[in-house]
């Protein structure tokens, strides 16, 4: 008889964990509190077309995710596009992709441009091992590498956009890892699956059920407590028993559910998260030549502009161009809680100031979406604080973004963590079974 393993959360981490558990001969049960699967890969419908609430693409370096897509038969639905980055500063939009672009980057003087190019070359070509940077604050490292003017002009605005007032805590390893993942020292290439992240989540769910697992939405977990040789979970007012449980939740949410010996064994974590507020504009024409544009302009109330239809074919979006403007911020701040109508107006008015020729008439519709736990704010020395896959000697395991570091937070990382978690479950439960038989 197969051992049942409960999985809390129906995002990509939970679904991938269930998929890999099926392959190992277990019976996974995915418990999702909400009404949809995919977590941050959530979708919505506009005029009969399915669109992503948040901007998502796949990188050509996303080995784990691409391998999973191949297993699911989705590889032939994947399209790839070369993309570019822009930098909008002092009202001028600069390309920021090649050495020639850097030499023409008028927001820096010539000496600083040369120093920036040498620093980028060092990061992406010469420093191939960088775990030592976990113990180095990013801002101090960037100051040494690029100098104070470049940091003030480029790096500090980028760090502020991602981490806000918490940016001084971030280790230099995050910078190194992000640059090498995005560009890998070369041309940016990004991909997208026809049907979006909804297609990935739904295909995974179908595969899980077909292999004997269960996927349930509207299944809010209220309490988790080890009991005997298993785990008791209270789900929507009733108890269920599992041989083991996997949590994909942020550690703070898990701590509210933990009972008994599990509560005592939870690793302490002061990890904080940035939430994200997205305004999605459906446009009748393209806004920018770049997939992503960093904006350094105090009059623009957002931290960046992402036009995903530089990767997603517009025939998949009903001919619309998808532009996201975003703010990463604490979910308790006014910025996160700002009224939707204010955000919509700020997005349209702000883009009209930045992009000549853009007007409100170009906008078919706008949507506002929020998520409270998007980007962990890593702290210097986090490698020594990262929680392991198993909580003590309890049959409770973790597959959460708190374990992502030093990797970047992305679906590819979540799939890799799911494989690692399942390996830990298989080894532990089989060892327990052997000990019990003896």
């Amino acid at each position: 008889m197969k051992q049942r393993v409960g999985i809390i959360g129906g995002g990509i981490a939970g679904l991938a964990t269930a998929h890999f558990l099926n392959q190992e001969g277990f019976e996974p049960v995915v418990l999702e509190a909400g009404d949809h699967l995919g977590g941050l890969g959530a979708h919505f419908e506009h005029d009969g077309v399915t669109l992503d609430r948040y901007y998502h693409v796949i990188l050509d370096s996303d080995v784990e995710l691409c391998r999973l897509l191949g297993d699911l038969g989705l590889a032939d639905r994947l399209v790839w596009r070369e993309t570019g980055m822009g930098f909008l500063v002092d009202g001028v939009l600069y390309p920021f992709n090649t050495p020639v672009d850097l030499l023409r980057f008028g927001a820096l003087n010539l000496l600083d441009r040369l120093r920036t190019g040498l620093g980028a070359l060092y990061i992406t070509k010469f420093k191939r091992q960088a775990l030592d940077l976990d113990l180095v604050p990013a801002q101090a490292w960037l100051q040494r590498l690029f100098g104070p003017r470049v940091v003030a002009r480029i790096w500090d605005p980028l760090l502020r956009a991602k981490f806000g007032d918490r940016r001084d805590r971030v280790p230099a390893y995050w910078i190194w890892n992000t640059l090498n993942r995005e560009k890998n020292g070369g041309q940016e290439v990004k991909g997208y699956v026809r049907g979006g992240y909804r297609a990935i989540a739904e295909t995974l769910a179908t595969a899980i059920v077909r292999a004997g697992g269960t996927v349930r939405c509207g299944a809010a977990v209220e309490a988790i407590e080890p009991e005997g040789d298993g785990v008791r979970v209270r789900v929507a007012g009733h108890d269920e028993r599992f041989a083991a449980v996997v949590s994909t939740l942020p550690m703070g949410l898990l701590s509210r559910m933990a009972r008994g010996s599990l509560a005592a064994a939870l690793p302490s974590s002061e990890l904080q998260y940035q939430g994200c507020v997205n305004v999605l504009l459906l446009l009748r024409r393209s806004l920018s030549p770049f997939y992503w544009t960093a904006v350094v302009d105090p009059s623009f109330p957002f931290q960046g502009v992402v036009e995903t239809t530089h990767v997603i074919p517009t025939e998949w979006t009903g001919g619309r161009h998808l532009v996201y403007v975003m703010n990463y911020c604490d979910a308790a701040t006014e910025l996160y809680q700002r009224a939707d109508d204010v955000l919509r107006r700020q997005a349209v008015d702000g883009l009209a100031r930045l992009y000549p020729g853009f007007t409100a008439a170009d906008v078919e519709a706008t949507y506002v979406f929020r998520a409270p736990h998007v980007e962990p704010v890593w702290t210097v020395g986090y490698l020594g604080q990262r929680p392991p896959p198993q909580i003590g000697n309890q049959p409770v395991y973790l597959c959460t973004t708190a374990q992502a570091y030093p990797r970047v937070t992305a679906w590819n990382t979540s799939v890799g963590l799911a494989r690692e978690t399942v390996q830990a479950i298989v080894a532990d439960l089989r060892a327990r079974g052997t000990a019990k038989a003896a």
Side-chain angles (χ1 to χ4, degrees), residues 137-438:
Q139 288 184 319
W141 182 65
L142 291 169
Q143 291 273 1
R144 291 197 299 270
L145 197 57
F146 293 99
R149 290 188 301 271
V150 175
V151 169
R153 201 65 164 152
I154 296 178
W155 288 108
D156 192 61
L158 291 176
L159 284 170
R160 182 187 293 274
K162 199 72 169 176
F163 300 109
D165 292 338
R166 299 165 173 167
R167 64 192 182 281
D168 59 338
R169 312 177 192 181
V170 178
Y173 188 85
W174 185 86
I175 299 288
W176 181 91
N177 207 23
T178 300
L179 285 178
N180 280 281
R181 175 181 182 265
E182 285 285 342
K183 290 178 176 291
N184 199 24
Q187 170 67 47
E188 288 183 358
V189 178
K190 294 181 170 65
Y192 193 80
V193 171
R194 185 180 182 94
Y197 276 42
R198 174 185 183 177
I200 301 174
E202 291 183 349
T203 302
L204 261 175
T206 298
I208 291 163
V209 173
R210 186 176 295 146
T214 302
V215 178
R216 286 159 39 193
C217 289
V221 172
E222 300 161 4
I224 311 164
E225 182 172 2
E227 186 177 79
D229 58 354
V231 185
R232 178 170 55 85
V233 178
R234 178 159 287 267
V235 185
H238 69 277
D239 288 345
E240 296 192 33
R241 283 189 57 83
F242 299 97
V245 165
V246 180
S247 172
T248 68
L249 307 178
M251 294 297 292
L253 297 182
L254 175 60
S255 66
R256 300 176 195 173
M257 303 173 183
R259 302 289 186 271
S261 60
L262 176 61
L266 279 181
S268 61
S269 175
E270 298 180 356
L271 185 65
Q272 296 178 311
Y273 284 79
Q274 293 286 78
C276 185
V277 182
N278 269 353
V279 181
L280 167 57
L281 301 96
L282 309 186
L283 304 186
R284 296 182 174 89
R285 62 186 181 89
S286 179
L287 177 72
S288 162
F290 306 114
Y291 169 81
W292 176 49
T293 300
V295 179
V296 182
D297 188 328
S299 70
F300 187 59
F302 300 92
Q303 298 158 345
V305 179
V306 174
E307 187 168 345
T308 59
T309 34
H310 284 299
V311 180
I312 307 169
T314 52
E315 55 265 31
W316 296 358
T317 65
R320 303 169 182 89
H321 297 264
L322 310 182
V323 172
Y324 297 79
V325 295
M326 78 295 300
N327 282 316
Y328 287 90
C329 52
D330 190 292
T333 61
E334 182 277 332
L335 183 58
Y336 185 87
Q337 299 173 11
R338 191 170 294 170
D340 288 3
D341 60 337
V342 174
L343 290 167
R344 292 189 184 99
R345 184 175 65 253
Q346 289 179 329
V348 174
D349 292 348
L351 290 176
R353 287 194 300 272
L354 294 179
Y355 293 90
F358 171 82
T359 70
D362 295 319
V363 182
E364 177 183 331
T366 58
Y367 292 89
V368 178
F369 301 108
R370 294 174 179 81
H373 301 98
V374 174
E375 186 70 31
V377 183
W378 310 117
T379 54
V380 171
Y382 189 78
L383 280 179
Q385 306 166 30
R386 183 179 59 187
Q390 186 175 1
I391 300 176
N393 63 352
Q394 316 273 352
V396 180
Y397 306 84
L398 298 173
C399 184
T400 169
T401 52
Q403 301 160 286
Y405 186 86
R407 293 162 287 190
V408 296
T409 308
W411 272 37
N412 181 67
T413 298
S414 293
V415 174
L417 285 170
R419 288 188 190 274
E420 295 165 13
T421 300
V422 169
Q423 289 170 2
I425 293 171
V426 170
D428 182 49
L429 290 189
R430 288 179 179 167
R432 288 172 185 261
T434 300
K436 187 176 180 180

Side-chain angles (χ1 to χ4, degrees), residues 53-193:
R53 295 186 186 186
Y54 307 97
Y55 54 96
H56 297 290
V57 288
I58 300 167
L59 303 187
D60 58 345
S61 57
D62 287 346
V63 175
E64 290 284 359
L65 181 54
C66 290
R67 177 181 169 189
L68 177 61
L69 295 179
D71 291 346
L72 296 172
L74 293 176
D76 61 348
R77 296 170 63 174
L78 186 60
V79 297
W80 296 99
R81 300 284 188 270
E82 291 187 354
T83 60
M85 172 189 173
F87 215 109
L88 205 160
V89 57
D90 296 336
V92 180
L93 179 61
Y94 298 94
F96 207 70
N97 302 284
T98 68
V100 173
D101 291 341
L102 180 58
L103 289 174
R104 295 173 177 171
F105 189 62
L108 296 173
N109 63 42
L110 180 58
L111 181 61
D112 286 338
R113 286 178 238 168
L114 293 173
R115 186 167 182 175
T116 299
L118 291 173
L121 189 66
Y122 169 75
I123 292 171
T124 58
K125 294 295 186 182
F126 294 104
K127 187 167 181 60
R128 303 317 306 155
Q129 300 295 327
L131 291 180
D132 60 301
L133 296 179
D134 175 58
L135 298 173
V136 180
Q139 288 184 319
W141 182 65
L142 291 169
Q143 291 273 1
R144 291 197 299 270
L145 197 57
F146 293 99
R149 290 188 301 271
V150 175
V151 169
R153 201 65 164 152
I154 296 178
W155 288 108
D156 192 61
L158 291 176
L159 284 170
R160 182 187 293 274
K162 199 72 169 176
F163 300 109
D165 292 338
R166 299 165 173 167
R167 64 192 182 281
D168 59 338
R169 312 177 192 181
V170 178
Y173 188 85
W174 185 86
I175 299 288
W176 181 91
N177 207 23
T178 300
L179 285 178
N180 280 281
R181 175 181 182 265
E182 285 285 342
K183 290 178 176 291
N184 199 24
Q187 170 67 47
E188 288 183 358
V189 178
K190 294 181 170 65
Y192 193 80
V193 171

